[in-house]
């Protein structure tokens, strides 16, 4: 396939920050993609190219210039070939030259373009490309935001309700539970990911509220993303103004798991504290999922390393942590090679692009994090999952 038109521009994400949107065309086919942006980023993530003024002008210029130029002489046999060219063209391990944001916008648009030409839905193209069995992911609904997504009003970054079952069964439960929680909280602000952002003076209160919902709604359970790198300074984790050692934090997790039957804990410790991850996984890994995010950054080599050291038993997959769809698929393959489950995830700064819904379904993800129900960019992902369910039936 000859890609005869390449065009990028800067658009705004849900935080009003600039991000990259790219359109590719091949004859009568045309596909557009835009990329999200994280706030609690892992330090080993691929590099999001952002200029000193906060814009993505350089990343956009790289797509319109160097990448468009390189595509001119190419006849691509697959989306993988497009990604291989992007990776080679950038030439750095962390995509710092052209920018992972520039590369991923092109990579997703190319994935869409090839799916169009092959006349198959995007999720099916992803399943075929990675050799995955496509299935509906559990919804990890972001009910309450804390951490850097809500000015640390709550210590942990995400308080989630995990809902079993296919999207058409799970989403109505999510909607009802989200509305009920809203009534109980009264007038509170909202966090970056479209969940509520209340303030409480005890660590347990958000769990008690979610436990009430779990009692009311069958097939639901509680999960958190501690995003603990953001809580860690001067050798301690700071929760509601109190310092916790890694052992004390471990004891707290254990108590929360016993009292509230937590389903999963993501990033329980700082990304450099691998031994603490291993100890917690030895302690709780039989009962719950310990998910690596900042620790593993969708990087196949880091996933393998974390598995060898038994640091985790599940992996969060975010395509923009690695920079191409091809490598995100390889990260999923590395996850499955360890017999771990994958949870696909949006970012805290999102656009209306629904790629992550197709990706989650296509890889047969155990779950998907796509945010709370109070932002259209998050709802778009859930709506797309409903559409996929229809396409797949
Ligand atoms: C996370 C993500 C998404 P961010 O930590 O899992 O929920 O947040 O995009 O800010 O890294
Ligand atoms: Mg996380």
């Amino acid at each position: 396939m000859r890609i005869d038109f390449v065009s990028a521009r800067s658009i705004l994400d849900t935080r009003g920050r600039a991000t990259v949107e790219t359109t590719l065309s091949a004859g009568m086919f045309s596909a557009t993609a835009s990329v999200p942006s994280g706030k609690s980023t892992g330090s080993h993530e691929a590099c999001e190219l952002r200029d000193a003024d906060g814009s993505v002008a350089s990343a956009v210029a790289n797509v319109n210039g160097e990448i468009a130029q390189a595509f001119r002489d190419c006849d691509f046999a697959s989306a993988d070939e497009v990604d291989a060219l992007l990776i080679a063209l950038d030439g750095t391990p962390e995509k710092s030259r052209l920018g992972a944001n520039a590369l991923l916008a092109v990579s997703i648009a190319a994935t869409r373009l090839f799916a169009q030409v092959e006349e198959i839905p995007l999720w099916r193209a992803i399943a075929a490309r990675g050799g995955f069995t496509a299935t509906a992911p559990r919804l990890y609904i972001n009910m309450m935001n804390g951490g850097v997504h809500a000015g640390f009003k709550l210590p942990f970054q995400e308080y989630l309700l995990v809902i079993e079952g296919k999207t058409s069964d799970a989403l109505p439960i999510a909607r009802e539970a989200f509305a009920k929680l809203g009534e109980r909280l009264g007038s509170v602000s909202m966090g970056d990911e479209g969940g509520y952002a209340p303030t409480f003076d005890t660590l347990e209160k958000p769990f008690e509220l979610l436990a009430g919902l779990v009692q009311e709604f069958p097939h639901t359970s509680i999960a958190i993303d501690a995003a603990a790198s953001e809580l860690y300074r001067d050798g301690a984790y700071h929760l509601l103004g109190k310092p916790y050692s890694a052992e004390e934090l471990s004891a707290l997790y254990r108590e929360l798991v016993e009292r509230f039957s937590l389903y999963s804990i993501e990033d329980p410790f700082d990304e450099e504290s691998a031994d603490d991850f291993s100890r917690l996984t030895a302690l709780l890994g039989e009962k719950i999922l310990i998910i690596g995010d900042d620790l593993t950054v969708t990087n196949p080599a880091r996933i393998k390393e974390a598995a060898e050291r038994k640091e985790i038993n599940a992996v969060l997959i975010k395509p923009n942590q690695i920079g191409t769809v091809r490598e995100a698929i390889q990260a999923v393959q590395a996850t499955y090679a360890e017999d771990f489950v994958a949870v696909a995830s949006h970012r805290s700064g999102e656009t209306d692009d629904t790629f992550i819904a197709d990706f989650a379904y296509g890889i047969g993800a155990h779950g998907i994090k796509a945010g709370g129900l109070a932002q259209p960019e998050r709802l778009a992902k859930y709506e797309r999952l409903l559409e996929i369910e229809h396409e797949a039936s």
Side-chain angles (χ1 to χ4, degrees):
M1 181 202 293
R2 290 195 171 273
I3 296 176
D4 47 35
F5 176 82
V6 178
S7 176
R9 66 186 186 116
S10 170
I11 61 167
L12 296 181
D13 71 11
T14 45
R15 276 191 283 254
R17 296 181 84 216
T19 188
V20 182
E21 183 195 78
T22 293
T23 299
L24 302 179
S25 304
M28 59 184 281
F29 300 100
S30 178
T32 297
S34 56
V35 293
S37 174
K39 195 190 256 180
S40 67
T41 50
S43 54
H44 301 281
E45 289 191 21
C47 168
E48 177 188 78
L49 191 61
R50 202 171 277 285
D51 299 325
D53 61 359
S55 79
V56 291
S58 301
V60 165
N62 289 341
V63 178
N64 290 330
E66 204 172 322
I67 293 174
Q69 177 74 34
F71 278 15
R72 228 158 265 167
D73 308 318
C74 295
D75 192 358
F76 297 108
S78 65
D80 266 343
E81 276 192 13
V82 176
D83 286 356
L85 177 84
L86 292 172
I87 294 162
L89 197 63
D90 175 80
T92 68
E94 64 291 332
K95 323 273 190 316
S96 56
R97 203 176 71 76
L98 297 174
N101 42 353
L103 265 47
L104 186 66
V106 176
S107 175
I108 294 176
T111 303
R112 282 206 170 103
L113 203 55
F114 271 91
Q116 271 183 39
V117 172
E118 288 162 28
E119 293 182 17
I120 52 171
L122 186 55
W123 57 269
R124 205 185 281 283
I126 291 162
R129 198 166 159 186
F132 305 125
T133 307
T135 48
R138 283 163 189 74
L139 303 186
Y140 272 62
I141 303 285
N142 188 326
M143 305 295 282
M144 286 175 272
N145 290 199
V148 293
H149 296 166
F152 284 101
K153 286 191 202 157
L154 301 178
F156 299 135
Q157 181 177 283
E158 295 158 35
Y159 298 80
L160 305 132
L161 197 64
V162 183
I163 310 175
E164 303 281 331
K166 60 185 200 299
T167 310
S168 57
D169 292 332
L171 197 55
I173 296 172
R175 222 174 268 137
E176 223 184 303
F178 197 77
K180 278 229 163 111
L181 180 62
E183 281 163 26
R184 282 167 202 170
L185 290 172
S187 163
V188 291
S189 55
M190 305 306 283
D192 281 6
E193 296 196 344
Y196 303 103
T199 311
F200 299 120
D201 45 16
T202 70
L203 285 171
E204 292 81 10
K205 186 68 189 172
F207 293 97
E208 287 163 3
L209 279 163
L210 289 181
L213 294 172
V214 167
Q215 280 202 337
E216 284 164 66
F217 296 95
H219 314 299
T220 62
S221 43
I222 303 170
I224 55 167
D225 179 2
S229 296
E230 305 290 340
L231 300 169
Y232 191 64
R233 42 174 208 282
D234 307 327
Y237 296 90
H238 297 265
L239 282 72
L240 295 181
K242 195 181 148 210
Y244 289 70
S245 67
E247 296 72 44
E248 287 166 335
L249 189 56
S250 242
L252 173 66
Y253 290 139
R254 190 181 188 166
E255 200 186 305
L256 290 173
V257 168
E258 272 162 24
R259 202 166 145 207
F260 299 105
S261 308
L262 296 195
Y263 187 84
S264 61
I265 304 178
E266 180 184 328
D267 279 351
F269 298 103
D270 177 65
E271 64 186 47
E272 304 299 343
S273 304
D275 292 345
D276 295 323
F277 270 86
S278 300
R279 276 191 280 273
L280 191 71
T281 300
L283 188 71
L284 298 176
E286 294 292 317
K287 277 192 189 161
I288 70 163
L289 297 179
I290 308 287
I291 307 176
D293 171 15
D294 291 354
L295 180 80
T296 38
V297 291
T298 315
N299 183 318
R302 292 186 68 87
I303 292 166
K304 192 159 183 276
E305 197 186 329
E308 273 163 15
R309 303 182 49 173
K310 298 187 172 27
E311 291 161 17
I312 47 170
N313 58 11
V315 180
L316 204 75
I317 301 285
K318 294 166 167 168
N320 84 326
Q321 284 182 323
I322 189 79
T324 61
V325 175
R326 177 189 171 120
E327 292 161 290
I329 285 174
Q330 286 166 350
V332 176
Q333 289 166 335
T335 301
Y336 292 167
E338 303 296 342
D339 278 329
F340 289 174
V341 298
V343 176
S345 172
H346 69 159
R347 298 306 303 246
S348 53
E350 266 295 336
T351 72
D352 58 6
D353 193 303
T354 55
F355 176 77
I356 199 66
D358 283 84
F359 186 83
Y361 198 98
I363 66 166
H366 185 80
I368 181 172
K369 288 207 308 180
L373 300 187
Q375 267 181 9
E377 292 80 358
R378 318 287 167 188
L379 293 176
K381 278 72 167 170
Y382 297 120
E383 291 299 331
R384 176 63 191 141
L385 282 171
L386 284 178
E387 203 171 51
I388 293 171
E389 197 176 297
H390 192 67
E391 284 171 6
S393 66

